[in-house]
Amino acid sequence: MFGEFVKEKRLLLKISLRQFARDLGEDPSNWSKIERSAASAPQDEAKLAKIAMILQIQKDSDEWNQLFDMASIDAGRIPDYLMSDKEILKSLPAFFRTVGSIKPKPEEIEKLIDIIRKEG
Amino acid sequence: MTDFSNIKCRYILKKEIWSRADELVKAHWCYGETPVDIEHIVESKIGLEIIPLSGLSNICGIDAYLKSDFSGIVIDNSRYNDERYDSRLRFSIAHELGHYVLHEYLYSDNNLNIDEPREYYNFITNFPENEYRSFEYQANQFAGRLLVPRENLVEEVNNISNILEKNNGAHLLSVNPDYVLERATPLLCKPFGVSEDVIKRRVEEEELWPPTGFGR
């Protein structure tokens, strides 16, 4: 809920994920997880105020309250850390870009599965 | 176990690939404006997720990939966060978008039924190398044309010709066009946000070098 809201606002303002994460001082991978609801929303008020500022949300406006409320609701949610095999298969490459257009080796795919399982 | 060795890449004329890239830019971007904001197109217009993943490049040797469910493009997190890789990353995203636009049939045509990790290893291992290269070639053609539209490239090449003429260097184009291209490459790639390799390939593919009226 929180993640979707932020992403929608971010895209309306044409801010890339990378730029948003940089402005916020967050790691893009972690921030992407929050937007995809694979991790909980931040609870720190200063951080939320900064998010609101980047998204051009005025203090004490309806959207401001909505942002803080959604972050608070999100705190009680347990993110789905454990992906099923089926979900992992969806997250594996259909196509991949490697140096020299060489197919990844099976052991590299095995490592990738490990990373996806841990990182989501 | 499914036999994946019969996977085929459909032949598509280069002109057709370029035209698909042009159409996409015209539909989702202000055609003629560079650099093309590939992240904006992918996220906002096409609706694909961009998912930075730690360790993708260093541990798995992959720069970027299109997810099997065609819902997002996964990219290496540290490179995504490092401005030195901007050009390569932009190309990687455009390349994966090329697969998304051109190769959706991989799953429908080939009746791929991958429902367990073991089957996926089998898929990767038996994906025919030459067919894989054809898929890659097509995605590269798509990405190059998308990020470096022909009209803009013609304009930039003309600018180089004008600079040479003003500095009495036009004769160099007929004597040693490769040398001039090597020197002009940093200027040529700047407006497009692509690497020197990409721009060199683009002028060659579009047969724009040496510029008309000189050398050739």
Side-chain angles (χ1 to χ4, degrees), chain B residues 69-188:
Chain B
D69 62 0
F70 282 58
S71 68
I73 294 172
V74 181
I75 47 177
D76 181 76
N77 187 48
S78 57
R79 293 194 172 180
Y80 185 60
N81 216 7
D82 186 340
E83 284 174 17
R84 290 174 302 171
Y85 289 98
D86 271 4
S87 306
R88 185 167 174 89
L89 192 105
R90 281 167 49 71
F91 194 86
S92 292
I93 295 174
H95 173 102
E96 298 309 325
L97 180 60
H99 285 309
Y100 176 83
V101 170
L102 303 169
H103 301 141
E104 209 191 343
Y105 68 85
L106 171 70
Y107 283 80
S108 50
D109 265 22
N110 294 290
N111 195 22
L112 303 185
N113 194 16
I114 303 170
D115 52 11
E116 55 166 323
R118 205 163 49 120
E119 195 70 350
Y120 186 80
Y121 293 129
N122 178 24
F123 163 65
I124 290 294
T125 312
N126 294 308
F127 199 123
E129 194 76 42
N130 51 349
E131 298 299 324
Y132 174 68
R133 285 189 170 273
S134 298
F135 281 116
E136 289 300 284
Y137 170 82
Q138 292 178 354
N140 281 337
Q141 286 295 335
F142 182 92
R145 178 79 172 205
L146 189 147
L147 295 176
V148 187
R150 181 180 166 86
E151 280 83 348
N152 299 82
L153 186 58
V154 169
E155 203 177 303
E156 294 303 325
V157 168
N158 286 340
N159 287 341
I160 298 288
S161 305
N162 293 337
I163 293 170
L164 280 168
E165 272 197 281
K166 274 182 196 160
N167 294 287
N168 298 319
H171 68 285
L172 275 173
L173 275 171
S174 45
V175 178
N176 196 345
D178 292 348
Y179 169 75
V180 181
L181 180 59
E182 192 60 40
R183 301 228 354 188
T185 302
L187 270 179
L188 280 173

Side-chain angles (χ1 to χ4, degrees), chain B residues 48-78:
Chain B
L48 285 172
E49 282 182 319
I50 289 183
I51 305 167
L53 191 67
S54 298
L56 186 63
S57 187
N58 289 338
I59 299 173
C60 311
I62 301 172
D63 276 357
Y65 70 80
L66 177 66
K67 282 176 66 178
S68 290
D69 62 0
F70 282 58
S71 68
I73 294 172
V74 181
I75 47 177
D76 181 76
N77 187 48
S78 57

Side-chain angles (χ1 to χ4, degrees), chain A residues 7 10-12 14-19 21-22 26-30 32 35-36 85-86 88-113 115-117 119-120, chain B residues 39-40 43-44 49-56 59-70 77 80-81 83 86 88-89 91-92 95-96 99 103 106-107 114-117 120-121 124-125 127 129 132-133 135-136:
Chain A
K7 184 177 178 184
R10 172 173 74 71
L11 293 180
L12 276 174
K14 297 184 179 173
I15 306 171
S16 70
L17 171 67
R18 171 169 39 178
Q19 192 56 51
R22 269 182 201 163
E26 283 275 341
D27 178 77
S29 172
N30 289 338
S32 155
E35 284 194 356
R36 289 180 284 121
D85 275 359
K86 208 172 176 183
I88 286 174
L89 285 167
K90 280 184 193 169
S91 295
L92 285 170
F95 296 99
F96 22 72
R97 183 164 191 241
T98 58
V99 175
S101 297
I102 299 163
K103 284 193 303 179
K105 299 180 192 89
E107 54 266 33
E108 285 171 332
I109 293 297
E110 211 165 306
K111 286 175 192 162
L112 178 61
I113 291 176
I115 294 175
I116 292 172
R117 217 183 277 276
E119 295 282 317
Chain B
E39 284 187 64
H40 173 68
E43 270 201 305
S44 293
E49 282 182 319
I50 289 183
I51 305 167
L53 191 67
S54 298
L56 186 63
I59 299 173
C60 311
I62 301 172
D63 276 357
Y65 70 80
L66 177 66
K67 282 176 66 178
S68 290
D69 62 0
F70 282 58
N77 187 48
Y80 185 60
N81 216 7
E83 284 174 17
D86 271 4
R88 185 167 174 89
L89 192 105
F91 194 86
S92 292
H95 173 102
E96 298 309 325
H99 285 309
H103 301 141
L106 171 70
Y107 283 80
I114 303 170
D115 52 11
E116 55 166 323
Y120 186 80
Y121 293 129
I124 290 294
T125 312
F127 199 123
E129 194 76 42
Y132 174 68
R133 285 189 170 273
F135 281 116
E136 289 300 284

